[in-house]
């Protein structure tokens, strides 16, 4: 028959194994979360940069269209004046 001390040693060994697995799973979870966070921050910065560039392109295109329309109106005014 097992003594109380032997049962205590067996339980302590099981607890340390469970604790080891729990800590390893927590470490893997934290590693995945932190790498996902870093990756998300980099993607967000890239999206902001591309959005800013596309807005600049749209503004320059709009400016060009307005200048073209103003030149057309100026030419019409000149034709009417003559």
């Amino acid at each position: 028959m097992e003594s109380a001390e032997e049962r205590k040693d067996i339980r302590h060994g099981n607890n340390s194994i469970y604790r080891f697995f729990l800590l390893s799973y927590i470490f893997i979870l934290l590693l995945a979360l932190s790498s996902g966070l870093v990756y998300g921050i980099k993607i967000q910065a890239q999206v902001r940069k591309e959005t800013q560039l596309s807005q600049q392109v749209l503004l320059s295109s709009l400016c060009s269209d307005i200048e073209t329309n103003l030149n057309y109106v100026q030419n019409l005014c000149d034709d009417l004046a003559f």
Side-chain angles (χ1 to χ4, degrees):
M1 205 164 183
E2 293 182 2
S3 68
E5 200 171 298
E6 288 175 354
R7 280 185 263 150
K8 187 177 179 183
D9 288 341
I10 291 172
R11 277 191 233 141
H12 180 68
N14 288 341
N15 285 341
S16 66
I17 291 172
Y18 292 135
R19 191 173 296 139
F20 172 75
F21 281 118
L22 178 65
L23 291 176
S24 65
Y25 288 143
I26 290 172
F27 175 73
I28 291 170
L29 177 66
L30 291 176
L31 181 67
L33 287 174
S34 62
S35 63
L37 184 64
V38 169
Y39 186 67
I41 289 171
K42 287 186 178 186
I43 287 176
Q44 185 179 17
Q46 183 68 27
V47 167
R48 280 186 183 162
K49 183 179 177 182
E50 288 180 9
T51 302
Q52 186 179 14
L53 289 175
S54 68
Q55 287 175 347
Q56 287 176 349
V57 168
L58 286 173
L59 284 175
S60 65
S61 173
L62 180 63
C63 183
S64 174
D65 289 345
I66 289 173
E67 286 177 357
T68 302
N69 288 336
L70 287 175
N71 286 336
Y72 177 71
V73 169
Q74 183 65 40
N75 288 337
L76 285 177
C77 289
D78 289 345
D79 288 344
L80 284 175
F82 288 119

